Amino acid sequence: MLERLNGLLAQAGIVITDQQKTQLVQLVELLHKWNKAYNLTSVREPQEMLVKHIMDSLVVSQHLHGERFIDVGTGPGLPGLPLAIINPDKQFVLLDSLGKRIRFIRQVILELGLTNVTPVQSRVEEFRPEQGFDGVLSRAFASLEDMLTWCRHLPAADGRFLALKGIYPAEELAHLPEGISLLASHTLVVPELEGERHLLELNITRPD
């Protein structure tokens, strides 16, 4: 699996340490093991997880600006855990309402020795952080409107929403909630992944 990961990273132009590669492989192994009992993801095969979960998360890394991030509706820690592994200088809060997912994330933190991940079991609209985040990540929300409405209280004053999408959601972007604007759209290239991937950067428009 390490050899396959090396090939995928090379295709994506992502350079990380040997320790980080080992941790990513360990993450896949743990996800595969826990998935049998807890049904954390519909992706069953480890080789497929490398592409659909690990690489799909890592390609977001170059667009992370700041130090504090929250992954909302993180599921089994995606994209938060892979991003935390390759960005040890940044802090990640991983939020999900399901206990089995948070238990899995805690186990990963323990076994991989991660010091920059905080798992939180909560509904997003009930979570009140002490300070805002530089980036609010999500790859799980069904609609942009839901994400932006429920997560509006999470970014810092100059923080951004980072929404992972498949095809470019032109219709959703045409109906953004009031006070939200699109800063940038990035086409993500994930090696060996079929279909389009886009990352949308949005922010709350502050009154002058």
Side-chain angles (χ1 to χ4, degrees):
M1 193 154 38
L2 187 57
E3 187 178 341
R4 175 97 192 284
L5 177 61
N6 277 325
L8 292 167
L9 289 169
Q11 288 180 65
I14 296 173
V15 179
I16 58 176
T17 67
D18 288 342
Q19 182 189 3
Q20 289 165 349
K21 291 174 185 176
T22 300
Q23 288 175 314
L24 289 170
V25 169
Q26 285 178 288
L27 172 56
V28 171
E29 290 171 346
L30 281 167
L31 185 53
H32 180 59
K33 176 182 172 183
W34 275 61
N35 206 37
K36 293 174 184 176
Y38 294 100
N39 198 28
L40 297 170
T41 168
S42 60
V43 180
R44 299 289 172 195
E45 296 302 319
Q47 297 288 345
E48 209 178 344
M49 289 177 182
L50 277 179
V51 174
K52 292 185 175 179
H53 289 335
I54 303 302
M55 295 306 301
D56 191 52
S57 298
L58 296 185
V59 292
V60 177
S61 184
Q62 64 178 308
H63 302 294
L64 298 183
H65 304 292
E67 297 178 357
R68 297 185 73 250
F69 298 86
I70 182 167
D71 179 9
V72 177
T74 187
L78 302 167
L81 284 173
L83 289 172
I85 287 170
I86 71 165
N87 292 282
D89 57 326
K90 302 182 189 299
Q91 294 294 318
F92 293 83
V93 171
L94 273 52
L95 184 135
D96 202 277
S97 60
L98 274 190
K100 66 179 182 179
R101 295 170 180 165
I102 296 300
R103 284 194 296 275
F104 170 72
I105 292 167
R106 287 197 181 109
Q107 189 64 27
V108 171
I109 291 169
L110 183 68
E111 295 203 25
L112 272 56
L114 301 178
T115 58
N116 61 332
V117 178
T118 304
V120 175
Q121 183 180 345
S122 173
R123 294 171 59 87
V124 63
E125 58 269 36
E126 295 168 0
F127 177 59
R128 300 292 165 186
E130 291 182 8
Q131 64 182 112
F133 295 92
D134 299 313
V136 179
L137 282 153
S138 177
R139 83 198 276 258
F141 271 91
S143 76
L144 266 181
E145 185 178 7
D146 284 349
M147 177 197 179
L148 297 168
T149 301
W150 295 341
C151 302
R152 197 169 183 133
H153 61 293
L154 295 176
D158 55 352
R160 298 179 177 185
F161 298 101
L162 301 168
L164 269 162
K165 287 288 189 176
I167 60 173
Y168 186 78
E171 182 68 21
E172 289 185 73
L173 288 169
H175 300 93
L176 288 175
E178 189 175 346
I180 303 281
S181 57
L182 178 67
L183 290 172
S185 171
H186 308 282
T187 301
L188 302 176
V189 180
V190 183
E192 299 181 26
L193 182 70
E194 293 181 12
E196 296 179 30
R197 296 298 278 157
H198 289 87
L199 177 69
L200 307 178
E201 289 190 56
L202 306 106
N203 72 345
I204 298 174
T205 309
R206 309 285 174 183
D208 294 330

